[in-house]
Amino acid sequence: MGNKQTTFTDEQLEAFQDCTFFTRKEILRLHSRYRELAPHLVPLDYTNNPDIRVPLALIVTMPELKENPFRDRIVETFSEDGQGNLSFNDFVDMFSALCETSPRELKTIYAFKIYDFNRDNFICKDDLQQTLTLLTKGELTEDEVLLVCDKALEEADLDGDSKLSFSDFQNMISKAPDFLRYNHVLYSHLYLCLLLLLLLLLLLLSG
Amino acid sequence: MARNVNFDLNHPLMEAGLESPVDEEGVHDSFNQLIAEQSQNGGISDGYELQQLQRELDEEGRDDVAYLSSPVREFRGRNKGRRDVEWEEDERQTDPLIAERWSSATLRILSSMPSRTIGRSRGAIISQYYNRTMQLRRRRQSRPSIKDFSRSARPSIRGYGMEADEADGEDTEVSKRERLVNNLQNLSVTDRIRMLRAMPLSVAEKNELRRLALQKEKQTLSGSKLPCCSRLKYYIIIAVRQSWYSWLSFLHSLQLWQMPLKRVSGRFGTGVLSYFIFLKTLLYFNLFLFLVTGAFLVLPQAVHPPMLPAERRPFSGLELLTGAGCFSDSVMYYGYYSNDTLHKSCKDDGAVQNDSVSNSTGHDCVSKRLSYKMSLAYFFTIGMAFFITCIILVYSMSKSFGQSFRIDKSHSILAMKAFCSWDFKVIKKTSVKLMSENICTQLKELLAEVNHKRVKNTVGQKLCRLMVHGLAWTICIVSTAACVTGIYFFSDYMHQNLQQSSRSVNQDPLLNEASLLALPVLVSLINLLLPGLFNLAAWMEDYESPSVRTYVAISRNLMLKVSVLGVLCYHWLGRVAADPNSIGLKCWESFVGQELYRFLLMDFIFTLLDTLFGEFLWGLFSEKVLRRRRKPAFDIARNVLELIYGQTLAWLGVLFTPLLPAVQILKLLLLFYIKMSSVMMNCQAPRKPYRVSQMTTIFITLLCFPSFLGASVCVTYTMWSIKPSVSCGPFRGLQTMFQAGKLWVQEMEKHDPKLSVVARAHSYLVEHPLFLFVGAGIFLIVIYFYSQVVDGQRKIISLLQEQIENEGEDKKFLITKLQSIHEQKRTPARRLTSQDSTC
């Protein structure tokens, strides 16, 4: 992006900032990444919100997704048409939900959607089976996979309908908090403390 | 029900007919509304029809739901069909809900059940967030801060706030949305942004909501005749928002090392990443300490250097290692600080509040009322720094505890493995392969465990295991004890050596200085070698579960480090500080500061050596000579413990060496790059899965409990009961460092008799042990109450779980009822005849 052409208006950027977990700079970077995928398709100028979608096949070539066994499902989940064609909004949406600062709750909702292969709002045995096949790259035998599915459903299902509703899923996830959660909240507290301390000392000195 | 769930995915038609995010707008709504609607447009596809049910739909009447809504007929029909239903129920009990062909109407109702639409349909999300914003507003009125609103620490099974839908059935989505916009508009800016960000809607949708909310805000602001002050308020809000944004982006730019961390996590997953993030956290802690001591102690003192003896020792290079020599009379150590009151002008005040002012030195300042008492500043700076660090540590520890330990008895291990074991950060191909292999073996192990419940060990085997464990622990404890006694006697020997050398005059000062390095080298060597021995013992024991193995390793290493540090603290505070004259010291605080500097540096050097030999050369050796395919794995636990050890030294030394945090910052920066490149070059992803969050909780807890607590106990002890040096430092002439505060309060009382209350309160609070006891007692009581509350919650959780099971049963029962009524409706004639014949 050598020339100084505007990609987004200030208003657009502000809207993105309010609605996603990204800063202005990151949004622009995301746009350039998006544009790299299909340079002939995506224009530089996004001020009038062109309706352009990049197909799934191109999206999954990104290094972030390339090796992920769930890449197709992830992209499909975030695409508005459900086929995996992402508009720039969808693209931003995807990265915003997957980024580190997004809250656990939001991640849980999208994780549920991703694991819900047949989109019936339940994770049933089939979904679980597909998940496991993708996870283990088909190294478990059919019987083993079925056994794992049965046991897992038995464990996590609370209301006994032998499939996982969202609340079951959420309940299970909440017990396995394997996310990293050192966020910059801690640091901001640290620096606010420092500022307060400075003020306090000033008061002491002048008093 | 099972029918519609176990789709045959290979069927192309079915895929097409499935509900997609596009057409789910209308899906969510309340039961009543749906039933009412369906009587009008029963034929309209909800996008949920399954292929095999299409036929049933065709043969069914369209007004099936209208039937339901007429209670009389329903009752009659129910009466007539009761036997039928009962019979059906019997069958169902053997095979619940399977082998059931649901009619399309039932399916439609099922598909619109609230639990199915959570997080999916737009309407559901909007109404859910409407409820949330409402709650937020209500909360706002009672309590200003809603910080912890959407934390996951809340009860995990949440009422999703669907009750409002059922109440107002006629409410359309549009009005719901309007109300949401209304609520959003009434929230504060930060809350609104938080809400918007957390909504699981598409960006376009959120953008629209935001636009509407903003528009409304503007309308209300410009439409009505605004008084000047609220217009002012509006502008202030905008300004605050702008500054909040810039503050956030400033914080964002503070985030160090984003790219390297991404690379590490992409290759090794979150386990190794947690080490580096821990390192980063320590760096921030030290930065905070450095800024505090730098601003309040070092800078004022550096601007007003005290009178020093003219003779300065030349720089020989060894100072970098020992910290003695020409460094000893510098701003780095306690001894350099004066006990004067610095009151030149507003210049030091400027230096205190802001570095930028300190440049303007030349001008004369008239006001002389600003004074800076060094001893007080020293006392309060160290005290406040420790206090704030303590608060931050306890806060982050409790937060991390809340996240990783839940009150729940059932554990769904297999389900968790299936859904939560994938590390979405990993993007390197070989690591991905390794990870899926790992998951595979873990699943197999778990399955084996589930299938054959633990094979009982015989008594002999148990005894054998016990013996092995006992032996390993004995080895570890004995070796630790031996090392600690070794250090004890060696430090005693060094101390006597120093005493002798202080008496004899003619000795090489360089040799003297170098001999100071012996103790740090010994300690670092022990720290380096003993963990190897512990690893050997653990290998002998052959623990089954990796987590137990990690915990055992951590506890052994911790035992070693704590006892070593204990002995060293005794050496410094008990031997050196008790009788500094015997080894010819004028300023024992500076000596201890130098010792700590040496220890910190030696620790760093030995870590480097370990990285070079233990990781790099050993990796080369095993690859080239032993022809092993696997590279060594990165030992997270040990490395983290080393970091904690170093941090303890830094905390211990802040009092004696105000610039020690700066040294520690440098050390951590270098360590980050060295470890990073070493990991990238020599290591591979660890084979053992790491429960990252629990590990981080443990790391933070260890940092808080033995490390920080120990350091602060030592520092407090020094301040409270050890006599500071007579001829140096800011506290010279006082009995204890703590007296500085006391004298200040007394002086204040003298100046202003009104403040005598403060002085009395101070003397009561600080000097009376009673208050300490009362405080501790209250603390314990609070802890006790909390544990009781947790106990009660556990009971409630089990009750609730039971209730959920019952609800599930009820749901099944109702659905089967519903279905049976449909069945009757469909073939009323046949039913009737069959009924008649049976009766």
Side-chain angles (χ1 to χ4, degrees), chain A residues 17-20 26 80 93 100 105-106 113 115 118 121-122 124 130 135 155 163 174 177 187 190, chain B residues 5 7 9 22 116 119-120 132 197 202 206 210 245 252 288 403 406 414 418-419 425 436 693:
Chain A
Q17 261 180 329
D18 275 0
C19 298
T20 65
E26 284 167 327
E80 205 161 345
D93 223 10
E100 275 157 41
E105 208 173 330
L106 191 69
K113 283 189 189 184
Y115 288 131
N118 52 20
N121 291 332
F122 278 106
C124 57
Q130 286 193 46
L135 262 185
E155 279 170 359
K163 50 192 174 165
S174 71
Y187 308 130
L190 240 161
Chain B
V5 175
F7 301 100
L9 265 173
V22 190
R116 294 198 150 198
R120 297 278 288 177
R132 272 193 203 192
R197 282 179 173 173
S202 71
K206 285 191 220 176
R210 176 182 171 273
Y245 270 139
H252 203 77
F288 166 72
Q403 268 156 11
R406 308 259 154 193
L414 267 171
F419 290 119
K425 289 198 162 203
S436 70
S693 66

Side-chain angles (χ1 to χ4, degrees), chain B residues 483-518:
Chain B
C483 287
V484 169
T485 26
I487 291 171
Y488 179 82
F489 284 114
F490 187 72
S491 60
D492 200 29
Y493 168 73
M494 290 305 294
H495 193 69
Q496 276 162 13
N497 210 11
L498 268 178
Q499 281 174 354
Q500 277 170 10
S501 69
S502 71
R503 270 180 234 129
S504 63
V505 189
N506 45 353
Q507 260 197 349
D508 188 10
L510 265 184
L511 195 75
N512 256 346
E513 254 184 66
S515 74
L516 288 174
L517 283 174

Side-chain angles (χ1 to χ4, degrees), chain B residues 34-50:
Chain B
L34 210 110
I35 293 171
E37 260 174 28
Q38 265 169 1
S39 56
Q40 294 147 22
N41 55 357
I44 294 172
S45 156
D46 263 336
Y48 196 77
E49 274 69 29
L50 307 175

Side-chain angles (χ1 to χ4, degrees), chain A residues 2-22:
Chain A
N3 51 350
K4 283 272 176 192
Q5 198 182 340
T6 48
T7 312
F8 296 105
T9 58
D10 274 349
E11 215 164 297
Q12 274 176 316
L13 281 176
E14 212 162 90
F16 273 125
Q17 261 180 329
D18 275 0
C19 298
T20 65
F21 296 96
F22 293 125

Side-chain angles (χ1 to χ4, degrees), chain A residues 9-10 54 63 69 78 95-96 124-125 130 148 154-155 158 160 186 191 205:
Chain A
T9 58
D10 274 349
V54 174
F78 285 96
F95 282 102
S96 169
C124 57
K125 209 170 155 185
Q130 286 193 46
V148 172
E154 203 178 288
E155 279 170 359
L158 284 176
L186 201 150
Y191 289 101
L205 279 173

